[in-house]
Amino acid sequence: FVTSSKVFAESLYAERGMNWIIGAHVNKVEAGKVTYELLDGSAGEAEFDFSMLIPPFAGVGFTAFDKAGEDITSKLFAPNGFMKVDAKYDAGAYENWKASDWPRTLQNPDYKNIFAAGIAFAPPHIISKPMSSPNGTPINPTPPRTGMPSAMMGKAVAASICDMIKGKTNEPTHTASMSEMGAACVASAGKGLFNGTAAAMTVYPIIPDFEKYPGTGRDLNGTTGEIGLAAHWVKHILHHAFIWKAKLKPGWTLIPE
Ligand SMILES: Cc1cc2nc3c(=O)[nH]c(=O)nc-3n(C[C@H](O)[C@H](O)[C@H](O)COP(=O)(O)OP(=O)(O)OC[C@H]3O[C@@H](n4cnc5c(N)ncnc54)[C@H](O)[C@@H]3O)c2cc1C
């Protein structure tokens, strides 16, 4: 059956007696206290013992110059500091957004020897419908370039660069678009060999394609979510498998991204 990820996530919190606040923009953090603004414009405060805040994503903030000493920062980077690649950056309003706006080769359009994979590339726009509070504060989730798609992009870019260096071609030969690939995620929800749980999720494609999959934007054969002990074991096995892969130990190429 089809249900929103909101129900999936919120039921996990409810089952564990946790309260949640969504659609919030944190505007101040003090010792043990966080202040936020909600989508309806109201303000709130929450106290904490432990907190993990992920700040709004931005690039490193490089300034770039060409051989002649000319500043080419705006040619290479979007205003948020991420690198411009073969994405459609002039898609305009939400109603015009398409899955095809997302980059495929990850190559900079002006400098053919420069690529940006994973977290480094500038997305054409956010994924969800943009929201802001009545005070004008944008409150949106950042497009997630998580581990699996980042690695798939890195692999495609490396293969393209290889072919270009070997002189086989002048153009990238491999592509990895987030609107054409799926992603899997296993999120721990409690450890324990026999009573641990994790949520196992897949989405295909990562960027919803409402033209190809009207309604949800996703292929329901490749989009699933389930919580249980099996996913906890999968998470445990993947933990060791990925460290094995990272160390390039025998058979590492057989372990998927
Ligand atoms: C708290 C947190 C939890 C996460 N949990 C998950 C998860 O459970 N599952 C998942 O799939 N993803 C998760 N992610 C996302 C995942 O970590 C990233 O999507 C992924 O690491 C991006 O890969 P990347 O190679 O593009 O960039 P990075 O892994 O950030 O690699 C970039 C590298 O470039 C280096 N660098 C930067 N500037 C320079 C420079 N000037 N010169 C040389 N080197 C430089 C950095 O040191 C870094 O090593 C999480 C992210 C965060 C922050």
Side-chain angles (χ1 to χ4, degrees):
F1 64 95
V2 178
T3 187
S4 78
S5 50
K6 181 172 155 50
V7 173
F8 190 72
E10 290 182 353
S11 60
L12 278 173
Y13 289 132
E15 282 162 14
R16 285 158 180 75
M18 289 166 75
N19 295 324
W20 63 91
I21 303 164
I22 54 168
H25 168 79
V26 172
N27 48 28
K28 197 171 171 193
V29 183
E30 294 162 285
K33 192 172 83 178
V34 67
T35 312
Y36 57 84
E37 180 184 343
L38 293 179
L39 264 178
D40 64 9
S42 62
E45 277 181 8
E47 290 186 358
F48 62 84
D49 298 324
F50 177 80
S51 87
M52 181 177 86
L53 284 171
I54 301 185
F57 279 2
V60 176
F62 284 132
T63 308
F65 299 92
D66 67 9
K67 272 186 195 162
E70 192 102 357
D71 190 321
I72 53 164
T73 309
S74 62
K75 259 181 157 180
L76 273 182
F77 302 106
N80 59 11
F82 290 123
M83 181 170 282
K84 286 186 191 168
V85 289
D86 60 322
K88 185 170 167 52
Y89 292 111
D90 57 357
Y94 173 70
E95 290 67 32
N96 304 324
W97 295 358
K98 288 188 175 161
S100 55
D101 298 341
W102 288 76
R104 303 183 77 238
T105 65
L106 292 313
Q107 185 187 43
N108 180 266
D110 291 304
Y111 298 91
K112 304 290 182 190
N113 56 345
I114 298 184
F115 292 76
I119 198 69
F121 81 85
H125 39 67
I126 58 173
I127 300 175
S128 334
K129 192 173 179 177
M131 302 275 188
S132 61
S133 75
N135 309 322
T137 310
I139 303 180
N140 300 302
T142 299
R145 273 80 57 80
T146 48
M148 187 175 169
S150 296
M152 284 155 84
M153 281 182 253
K155 193 174 172 181
V157 165
S160 286
I161 292 174
C162 250
D163 285 345
M164 290 165 82
I165 289 176
K166 284 179 181 164
K168 285 187 192 167
T169 164
N170 287 329
E171 297 298 323
T173 44
H174 290 71
T175 60
S177 167
M178 282 173 63
S179 63
E180 292 165 11
M181 66 166 88
C185 171
V186 189
S188 245
K191 69 174 191 169
L193 198 57
F194 298 109
N195 57 3
T197 48
M201 294 158 276
T202 60
V203 282
Y204 183 87
I206 301 169
I207 307 297
D209 186 337
F210 293 101
E211 288 177 335
K212 215 164 169 187
Y213 308 107
T216 59
R218 299 256 165 63
D219 180 352
L220 296 185
N221 291 321
T223 304
T224 57
E226 211 168 333
I227 181 160
L229 177 62
H232 171 70
W233 286 354
V234 169
K235 176 110 193 165
H236 201 78
I237 293 165
L238 286 178
H239 169 85
H240 294 289
F242 289 151
I243 290 175
W244 185 274
K245 187 178 169 84
K247 290 183 176 172
L248 309 183
K249 289 196 173 177
W252 69 272
T253 51
L254 302 173
I255 300 169
E257 279 69 44

